[in-house]
Amino acid sequence: MSGIRLFLGHRLPKRHDILQTAFRFTSTLVLAEHTGDKLSPITLNAVNAASGLGEISVLVAGTDIMNIAEKVAKVEQVKRVFIADHEKLRHQLPEHVAKTVETLQKQYKFHYVVAGASTFGRDVIPRVAAQFDCAPVTDIIAIHSSNTFTRPTYAGNAICKVKSDAPIKFLTFRGTAFKPAKESGGDGKVEKAPEIDFSFDGVEFLSQELLKSELPDLQNAKVIVSGGRGVGSADNFKIIYELAGKLKAAVGASRAAVDAGYVSNELQVGQTGKVVAPELYIAIGISGAIQHTAGMKDSKIIVAINKDPDAPIFEIADIGLAADLHKAVPELINAL
Amino acid sequence: MTARCHDEQLPNRPLLTKAMRALVAVKRVIDYAIKIRVKPDRTGVIKENVQHSMNPFDEIALEEAVRLKEKQIVKEVIAVSLGPSKSQETLRTALAKGADRAIHVEVEEATAEKIEPLFVAKVLRRIAEAEKPDLIFLGKQAIDDDCGQTAQLLAGLLNWPQAMYASVVEQESDKTFIVTREVDGGRESIRIKTPAVISADLRLNEPRYATLPNIMKAKNKPLEKKKPSDYGIEVAQQTCILEVEEPPARKSGGFVEDVPSLVTKLKELGVV
């Protein structure tokens, strides 16, 4: 429960009453996200977000996933872990995962089917929801009651409170809006998911090319150093990496920097990239278009370095430095 | 014909036994450059007298379909939009950019406010059943409601493969495409069999501008008008908007003079 963030001063009046009463009668399926050998952290945020919505079962789909399932079983609040281990689930393609969830849902009739609002969750949740004629609610940042949620719209410029009358609630939670559940304290029962029909053959996994980095993962980093078009070139981005290395920070980028080819687009922060909320966000050479700020304005402290003192980024920055980044950033690296 | 023999034909495209048809769903939204304002009564955002345009991701989806047509992989591109009468402007833009014909599923302005992705997906399913496209292109999300659901819902309803957040779409054979997807940790490549649903990521292409002659020509292209009831679908709403608010405003903390004072301040705050 502690993970439900109070948003915008919305209190959750008597939330223990509302949610705890519901707790006894409702059941929630959380889709675990993992990379085969590691549980993705957003799963913990999703478990915590869902912990007020009923007794939690978690689905782990993939191949050779026993160790993941055992890990999930120890997460606080988790009561049951379903394992769906099948060759067809090796790469967790949404078509096959959705089929698995659908089969499970038909048998166990969960009231909520939820996941983190990552590529994985966004892929699967609506596809399953369609099978049950239910309208999903995606990218939730606050839970008010069993059927009322808050989500951002218009690149985070309008915060929308919605009530869902869907018979089954298919939801995705924005990871940065909820604290992660503790990885211990749970005592979930691990069991096999029912037999699933994997005859669908319209899709086939071919290959994957993942970005490798020594630096922390963008979405879980406490500090992020982000560069924009002002950085000037892919070569100049080295100073961004150098500063990030010094701060043990993740590197992010604005769309302008990605489009200009300075960095690959996995690093993009914004409405259509990643949404982050680190302790410290340092925006360097970023003007601060709404599409970018949508992805970082919930950061605790925002620092902006830009030579244009009128750049909109300064309107939201806690600390602004109007200076040439090519001088200021090396100076900053030396000073730290 | 063996698969191998077929592969050898690939460089000599187009050598297709069947020309494909593409359906593209486009949405009219408030232009991405506009700073939106929330209505004082908190029921929504102000849309009157605000510049609207085609959802940027839908422009990319459309561009991809038109390029496939130019490569003679696709024979016909059909643009579809669901919304009030002004959505026709968006469809005319789609026609000017290379769609062959358009279908406008009209709903009243007031009803349009309540439309959710599930409803759009249901209408698109009926249109897909009638038009029998091989590929349906959509944007990965609309920049107004930011739902990012319609393509997945539609693929689910049709039980077709879904290739979401596509950054590269390449035909492999008569029946298959290779799609590169932008996923969280990087890129992923999948093979999909047609018919399939593809949603466009920003990286897929650079949409073209409609030229004046093409805008003129678009006026004569067919635009069919339909209502949801023509598809046997009634507007139903499962998600109701209770309240729309401005996000909490962040205050500017002001400027520091130089790098040393920046470092001092960061140390005071205990973040470095």
Side-chain angles (χ1 to χ4, degrees):
Chain A
M1 301 284 292
S2 59
I4 296 173
R5 203 171 85 159
L6 298 182
F7 193 79
L8 282 184
H10 285 301
R11 298 281 157 221
L12 299 179
K14 297 178 203 147
R15 71 176 203 251
H16 286 276
D17 298 355
I18 302 167
L19 300 175
Q20 293 293 11
T21 314
F23 200 89
R24 257 175 284 147
F25 308 107
T26 56
S27 59
T28 300
L29 180 68
V30 180
L31 314 188
E33 182 173 348
H34 63 90
T35 56
D37 49 8
K38 246 181 80 196
L39 183 68
S40 303
I42 197 166
T43 308
L44 300 174
N45 305 91
V47 166
N48 195 28
S51 62
L53 295 173
E55 193 173 276
I56 292 182
S57 302
V58 181
L59 168 67
V60 182
T63 44
D64 302 323
I65 41 176
M66 202 55 205
N67 53 342
I68 304 246
E70 279 168 0
K71 224 178 152 195
V72 171
K74 292 195 188 89
V75 173
E76 64 172 353
Q77 304 274 9
V78 172
K79 294 284 182 293
R80 184 146 62 163
V81 180
F82 291 102
I83 316 182
D85 189 331
H86 193 278
E87 187 47 40
K88 281 270 201 175
L89 291 168
R90 179 172 292 279
H91 302 287
Q92 297 165 67
L93 290 172
E95 291 82 348
H96 300 315
V97 178
K99 194 77 205 166
T100 309
V101 180
E102 185 191 330
T103 309
L104 213 53
Q105 174 60 24
K106 280 183 177 152
Q107 184 162 336
Y108 293 94
K109 304 199 168 27
F110 301 101
H111 299 88
Y112 299 86
V113 179
V114 308
S118 58
T119 307
F120 172 79
R122 286 182 295 169
D123 259 342
V124 177
I125 291 287
R127 191 176 172 101
V128 189
Q131 307 307 321
F132 297 92
D133 194 25
C134 289
V137 183
T138 43
D139 209 15
I140 291 168
I141 55 172
I143 301 169
H144 304 285
S145 72
S146 58
N147 63 359
T148 312
F149 314 102
T150 288
R151 58 183 302 276
T153 58
Y154 291 92
N157 288 287
I159 306 298
C160 197
K161 192 174 182 184
V162 297
K163 179 170 153 274
S164 167
D165 295 324
I168 307 157
K169 312 272 189 277
F170 288 90
L171 316 173
T172 65
F173 299 113
R174 180 177 282 195
T176 56
F178 300 91
K179 286 191 183 132
K182 289 199 189 78
E183 287 181 80
S184 60
D187 186 21
K189 204 168 68 188
V190 179
E191 58 187 272
K192 264 177 113 175
E195 196 69 20
I196 295 135
D197 171 16
F198 284 119
S199 58
F200 184 87
D201 69 346
V203 65
E204 195 186 329
F205 176 91
L206 296 176
S207 64
Q208 204 174 40
E209 193 190 313
L210 297 181
L211 188 73
K212 285 189 195 82
S213 171
E214 299 294 305
L215 299 171
D217 175 48
L218 192 54
Q219 267 158 316
N220 304 303
K222 287 207 159 52
V223 181
I224 295 173
V225 182
S226 247
R229 195 189 290 282
V231 177
S233 69
D235 206 37
N236 287 349
F237 234 83
K238 276 187 200 141
I239 56 168
I240 303 292
Y241 277 98
E242 208 180 314
L243 178 59
K246 199 107 192 200
L247 293 167
K248 295 192 174 57
V251 169
S254 69
R255 183 185 160 192
V258 172
D259 283 353
Y262 303 167
V263 286
S264 77
N265 72 302
E266 294 85 41
L267 302 186
Q268 188 189 320
V269 171
Q271 180 186 22
T272 62
K274 304 230 161 57
V275 178
V276 298
E279 302 280 315
L280 174 63
Y281 189 92
I282 307 182
I284 299 170
I286 292 175
S287 64
I290 52 172
Q291 289 79 12
H292 182 73
T293 56
M296 48 67 87
K297 66 182 172 189
D298 289 331
S299 305
K300 214 153 168 204
I301 294 165
I302 298 173
V303 173
I305 302 175
N306 201 309
K307 67 176 178 219
D308 174 11
D310 296 323
I313 191 77
F314 288 121
E315 291 164 23
I316 61 161
D318 300 287
I319 310 173
L321 177 62
D324 181 357
L325 68 94
H326 302 291
K327 279 202 199 118
V329 176
E331 212 185 310
L332 183 57
I333 293 167
N334 285 331
L336 290 170
Chain B
M1 178 166 55
T2 68
R4 196 189 152 131
C5 153
H6 183 80
D7 280 345
E8 280 162 7
Q9 284 182 6
L10 274 179
N12 307 320
R13 265 183 255 155
L15 261 182
L16 302 171
T17 50
K18 176 187 164 237
M20 299 197 177
R21 181 178 283 178
L23 189 71
V24 186
V26 295
K27 184 177 186 183
R28 179 177 180 268
V29 298
I30 293 181
D31 191 89
Y32 75 93
I34 302 286
K35 172 102 181 74
I36 61 115
R37 282 184 305 150
V38 171
K39 285 185 193 169
D41 68 1
R42 296 179 165 192
T43 54
V45 305
I46 296 169
K47 292 185 177 167
E48 294 75 27
N49 302 315
V50 171
Q51 167 81 38
H52 281 65
S53 50
M54 190 188 295
N55 180 41
F57 294 104
D58 302 350
E59 279 191 84
I60 297 167
L62 173 70
E63 176 68 27
E64 197 63 20
V66 173
R67 287 186 190 188
L68 289 177
K69 193 186 160 189
E70 287 167 347
K71 288 182 196 156
Q72 295 175 325
I73 292 166
V74 161
K75 196 173 148 205
E76 187 184 34
V77 177
I78 309 161
V80 185
S81 193
L82 200 142
S85 55
K86 280 186 181 150
S87 300
Q88 284 179 28
E89 293 164 14
T90 307
L91 286 170
R92 287 288 169 205
T93 306
L95 292 168
K97 286 176 181 245
D100 296 287
R101 59 188 172 94
I103 301 170
H104 176 218
V105 183
E106 184 163 8
V107 290
E108 302 270 326
E109 190 107 35
T111 315
E113 290 278 326
K114 298 177 189 164
I115 283 176
E116 54 196 7
L118 180 62
F119 177 76
V120 179
K122 283 180 181 176
V123 172
L124 291 173
R125 167 173 59 177
R126 294 287 169 240
I127 295 175
E129 284 162 0
E131 302 286 350
K132 308 217 167 354
D134 301 277
L135 295 171
I136 305 179
F137 284 97
L138 301 93
K140 74 165 179 178
Q141 79 197 67
I143 60 162
D144 51 2
D145 60 29
D146 280 337
C147 280
Q149 302 173 5
T150 311
Q152 297 90 315
L153 285 162
L154 177 61
L157 290 172
L158 290 164
N159 196 30
W160 291 4
Q162 64 182 56
M164 303 292 105
Y165 331 115
S167 59
V168 184
V169 175
E170 278 175 325
Q171 192 189 29
E172 188 193 33
S173 76
D174 274 8
K175 279 255 163 218
T176 57
F177 281 78
I178 309 277
V179 179
T180 305
R181 291 173 7 97
E182 301 288 325
V183 297
D184 278 339
R187 281 178 199 88
E188 172 179 296
S189 182
I190 56 169
R191 174 182 288 124
I192 48 166
K193 277 191 199 165
T194 58
V197 178
I198 298 175
S199 81
D201 195 83
L202 274 176
R203 247 56 61 176
L204 184 55
N205 60 49
E206 189 86 39
R208 73 194 64 192
Y209 291 98
T211 59
L212 189 60
N214 284 339
I215 293 169
M216 299 311 286
K217 269 188 241 164
K219 292 188 173 154
N220 297 321
K221 287 185 177 177
L223 194 158
E224 209 178 334
K225 286 178 205 169
K226 295 278 195 184
K227 291 192 292 292
S229 56
D230 294 335
Y231 300 103
I233 299 171
E234 293 303 320
V235 179
Q237 194 189 3
Q238 292 182 10
T239 318
C240 121
I241 294 173
L242 299 179
E243 193 178 59
V244 179
E245 285 186 298
E246 300 262 1
R250 270 194 93 104
K251 275 203 307 268
S252 166
F255 289 94
V256 290
E257 276 301 305
D258 48 21
V259 172
S261 27
L262 170 62
V263 175
T264 311
K265 215 149 178 197
L266 287 174
K267 284 187 176 152
E268 271 171 34
L269 290 163
V271 284
V272 294

